Amino acid sequence: MTGGTGENPSRRKPGRRVRRLRWTLIGLAVTAAVGGAIGIGAYWASRPKAYEPGSEDKDITSVLRKDIPADAPSPKLVDVTREAGIADFQTFVGARTSQLPEDMGPGMAWGDFDNDGDEDLFLVSAGGPLTAPETQLAPSSLFENRGDGTFQRVVGFAEPRIHGMGAAWGDVDGDGWLDLLVTGYDALQLYRNRQGKLSLDKGFSAPKGFWATASFADYDQDGDLDLYVCGYVQYKPSDGSQRTSTQYSSSVPYTLNPSSYEPEQNLLFRNRGDGRFDEVAEKAGVSNPEGRSLSAIWHDFNADGWLDLYVANDVSDNVLWLNRRGKFEDISHAAWVADYRGAMGLAAADWNRDGDDDLFITHWLAQENALYDSLSNDMKGQPGAGSDGLRFMDIADAQGLGQVALQSVGWGAEFVDLDADGWLDLVVANGSTIETEETPKRLRPQPMFAFWGNHGERFYDLAPLDPILATPRVARGLSMCDYDRDGDMDILVSTADDGVRLFRNDMQSGNWAEFRIRTKDGSGPGRDGTGATVIVTVGGVRIRRSLSPASYLSQSSRVIHVGLGDATRIDRLELLYPGEKPTIYTDLATNTAWELTVGDTTARQVGKSAAGSSAKSSLSREQVVEFWRLHRAGMDAIKRDKDFARAVGSFRQALEIDPNHEDARYYLGNALAEIGDIAGALNQFEALTRVNPSSHRGFARHGTLLAIMAKSQRDLDTSQSILEKALALNPEETGALLTLGEIALMRGDLETSRQRLEWAAHSNPRATGSYFLRAYIAWKAKDAARSTELLRKARETLGPDWKPEGTTAEGDVIHKVHDDTTPLSPYWDSWDGKPNPSTAFVALERALRLHF
């Protein structure tokens, strides 16, 4: 034994070893820190310059494309949001309060509500903060497709001001007119369509809840549309506390974590046959009380002629119910699709052309997206393969869709053949739910995905090559539609904080066909094609396309688009429709929109022909091919090469084949203006309005060009008359209003000018010319303070990175006509941005005195 302190002497030696080890570790840490600092300094000194998406940096571009096959197309998308007339739509107004219902939406829905042959658009708005009164919420809006590539907000529609989520069109009463269902937080609204006029059905009984995606389908095959609605969580508004929680290992506000709340039940509304409903979800076994549901898709996965139901759940198992002649069987685990991840968006299609439909699911951060490939054709009859041999396998990683999504939060998704090569591509909307550190807090934006499908072998993301797709956004809903009826599918994306974006698709190079499906009587639920499948045979190859247009909060076009590659004729087409025998068609032309009626073997051409004329066009196949070759050559000359003289030649040759094609005539007019042939350009725009008296863009461009070139009051009278026609066609469009305000100013009518310019700013708060010219009017009225204030607002609209173009001298306007939008725009383009009325208006004042 030892005396004294009672310390065991044998423990002193290990203590010295510990101290020695501690000093060794400290030394290593210091060495590592110094080395790291040197390494970081070397990296920052030699780091590559940031890559601008779409730029021609040879090294970066080669890196981005190094794993992409040489025959992959370049993404060619054009942001036409403002040109189409929907740029001013708002999806959120005000500052977020970090509550779940503010961040989950919104979506949109395409549907021909007025039965004029083109698809109109309902845009859902999330409204604004949960604490805001209803009157301060941004409204959801209905836009009519004018048939010329533009949309007009429908006057007389009572726009809902709700915390909106999703929307879906469906003819619930079988009268041949699409009705509208809108979902949101504490909102589930049905709008009845009475021959093109929508009104709220106050008799539609729906419980309060947090409602997400809605999907229409005739699940029991009784001839009317039923409705499935996803319930998310039983959300309780914030009590103002700053509690946090853990969401997939990340610390987030308690009010943004769906796991903080109990799941909401789902709803199944069974149609009684007269457009009224009974809610039967619990009775039918599809209420999914354990799931926090966000998306649902009706789709015949086992090809038995009955629409099955797949539901995507957040933080809970997904569910697949097989439809057993109107009764449901849960086969989620047996089919290997009980996916326990944060699931949001859904898309189903036969991406690899193996004859069965597969399933794509978007997920939350760090979870990868899923591609469930159907093994049904391989597994039928094998023990343990699930009901009807239906089983899926997640092959996302092997197909280039998995790991690429680890840092993204995926929402809306759609399979679509963007380049019409006969193989499906895949577009995905991304946007984080993680907040930034700034105040007020915003959500972190992320770039989209645009996966090109390489002949069913693998997907490659082309988005980094395109500045439109690579621009980060807080995206949510996504849908596809050939809104301009030019034969390719365009992309519409909604964001949680910044309106919507419409991207026109200019990358299609192959042949195509479009199919609109109707039932025998031409009315009822079949008019929108829900559940239809077409199997197209070209050159011995079978291409299968099924119509299940519901994705995250959104509804895509009911038109089935099929890319055909080099095929010039459709040898055979088989139309499959739930509850009906197959309908067979043979020898159909490509590059044409067809209407197919279930049970009727005669296909009917609809809308524009291949070259854009009426459906009864007598153009031969060779003429159609040549027309599109010339038209695309003209567009490439304008957009890619800026060779306007070459574009003029291409468009003139195209119009010799089809004189009534509106796009060719419009772009010919613009190209002529660019090369200085103003008289020729005016002739083309005048001809365009004869071809289509409802062409807003034809009247607007004609009137504006006349105003730019005006030499007398009579010229101004003529241009005003033409612009007033454009304004009558689309009262919300800012360009015609702005030019009319300028014309009044050139005439010396300051009050009329001020009113028109104010209206233009109301329609478009970023209309720089409205503020600049009103500042001039205030200066003329000797109100220097007001003039200075308006100049400051004009400068704000230009953004922080704007730089002036340089001064505009007398007479320079005529030389700038081809680059400028309006007669007086050169004067604010050349303004130095300083809010000094005494210098800002010198050139403008001199020009107005000299010319007018």
Side-chain angles (χ1 to χ4, degrees), residues 17 112 137 155 339 476 480 604 664 666 697 742 758 794 796 803 842:
R17 285 202 300 268
D112 182 10
L137 299 178
V155 178
D339 185 335
R476 292 295 184 261
M480 311 298 303
R604 186 174 71 89
Y666 178 76
R697 63 177 177 174
E742 294 182 37
E758 283 183 353
E796 289 174 2
K803 294 180 180 179
V842 173

Side-chain angles (χ1 to χ4, degrees), residues 510-722:
N511 295 318
W512 55 273
E514 291 181 344
F515 304 100
R516 305 165 192 264
I517 314 301
R518 291 184 180 271
T519 54
K520 258 185 178 178
D521 61 0
S523 63
R527 68 184 299 278
D528 62 12
T530 303
T533 294
V534 297
I535 301 175
V536 174
T537 302
V538 289
V541 175
R542 288 164 59 88
I543 302 174
R544 175 189 177 96
R545 296 288 182 266
S546 299
L547 188 60
S548 298
S551 183
Y552 183 75
L553 306 180
S554 303
Q555 186 181 76
S556 289
S557 168
R558 254 42 180 189
V559 175
I560 299 177
H561 173 272
V562 182
L564 299 169
D566 295 332
T568 57
R569 300 292 292 182
I570 296 173
D571 303 321
R572 185 178 189 271
L573 184 144
E574 184 176 0
L575 169 61
L576 307 177
Y577 193 78
E580 301 285 346
K581 294 180 180 180
T583 308
I584 308 300
Y585 308 85
T586 58
D587 193 29
L588 298 179
T590 58
N591 298 328
T592 301
W594 295 97
E595 182 176 279
L596 308 179
T597 301
V598 176
D600 183 351
T601 57
T602 301
R604 186 174 71 89
Q605 281 187 306
V606 294
K608 295 178 180 178
S609 70
S613 307
S614 68
K616 297 182 179 179
S617 170
S618 60
L619 296 180
S620 67
R621 171 60 197 158
E622 291 72 20
Q623 287 176 308
V624 169
V625 171
E626 180 63 8
F627 172 87
W628 281 115
R629 185 190 70 78
L630 292 166
H631 189 275
R632 288 172 182 143
M635 297 304 296
D636 286 344
I638 286 178
K639 296 179 179 180
R640 185 186 63 199
D641 305 327
K642 306 298 181 184
D643 188 341
F644 300 104
R646 179 159 56 86
V648 166
S650 295
F651 286 125
R652 286 197 188 282
Q653 292 178 66
L655 285 166
E656 288 177 3
I657 299 172
D658 185 357
N660 293 327
H661 194 279
E662 296 176 30
D663 281 353
R665 200 162 291 281
Y666 178 76
Y667 288 112
L668 172 57
N670 285 321
L672 286 167
E674 290 286 351
I675 64 174
D677 186 356
I678 305 302
L682 293 173
N683 287 336
Q684 294 303 321
F685 295 128
E686 187 175 359
L688 172 57
T689 56
R690 286 198 302 268
V691 170
N692 179 10
S694 297
S695 176
H696 170 271
R697 63 177 177 174
F699 285 112
R701 191 72 177 110
H702 188 190
T704 300
L705 195 55
L706 273 176
I708 291 173
M709 303 306 299
K711 298 298 183 183
S712 66
Q713 293 290 343
R714 185 174 179 178
D715 292 340
L716 292 178
D717 289 343
T718 303
S719 61
Q720 176 173 310
S721 175
I722 295 172

Side-chain angles (χ1 to χ4, degrees), residues 302-316:
N302 61 346
D304 66 349
W306 291 80
L307 293 175
D308 309 307
L309 178 62
Y310 189 86
V311 176
N313 291 320
D314 194 4
V315 208
S316 41

Side-chain angles (χ1 to χ4, degrees), residues 16 64 82 96 165 171 192 211 226 287 462 519 653:
R16 288 193 296 270
L64 289 173
R82 183 158 299 283
R96 296 173 59 258
M165 289 285 284
D171 182 8
R192 301 281 183 170
W211 308 118
D226 311 298
S287 63
L462 304 182
T519 54
Q653 292 178 66

Side-chain angles (χ1 to χ4, degrees), residues 295-301 308-312 318-321 332 335-339 341 343-352 354 356-363 369-375 390-396 399 401 413-415 424 426 459 548 550-551:
S295 295
I297 189 170
W298 293 100
H299 198 92
D300 185 7
F301 286 106
D308 309 307
L309 178 62
Y310 189 86
V311 176
N318 293 350
V319 187
L320 173 58
W321 284 289
S332 313
W336 294 353
V337 289
D339 185 335
R341 282 180 272 188
M344 275 80 81
L346 299 172
D350 182 11
W351 69 276
N352 53 2
D354 65 352
D356 48 31
D357 287 336
D358 313 296
L359 181 66
F360 178 79
I361 306 173
T362 59
H363 290 123
N369 294 331
L371 176 61
Y372 283 105
D373 187 53
S374 175
L375 307 177
L390 190 61
R391 178 172 285 177
F392 296 82
M393 180 177 291
D394 184 1
I395 59 171
Q399 297 303 320
L401 301 175
E414 285 284 4
F415 284 107
L424 285 172
L426 178 63
F459 288 94
S548 298
S551 183

Side-chain angles (χ1 to χ4, degrees), residues 109-122 142-152 154 169 177-178 193 481-486 514 516 518 527 557-559 593 595 606-608 662 692 694:
W110 293 96
D112 182 10
F113 86 94
D114 53 4
N115 284 350
D116 65 352
D118 48 38
E119 296 199 66
D120 309 297
L121 179 60
F122 185 78
L142 176 62
F143 288 86
E144 177 191 358
N145 189 333
R146 300 194 59 83
D148 61 355
T150 67
F151 295 84
Q152 177 176 308
V154 175
W169 293 99
W177 296 83
L178 288 175
N193 189 344
C481 181
D482 181 10
Y483 81 97
D484 50 4
R485 298 172 67 184
D486 64 352
E514 291 181 344
R516 305 165 192 264
R518 291 184 180 271
R527 68 184 299 278
S557 168
R558 254 42 180 189
V559 175
E595 182 176 279
V606 294
K608 295 178 180 178
E662 296 176 30
N692 179 10
S694 297

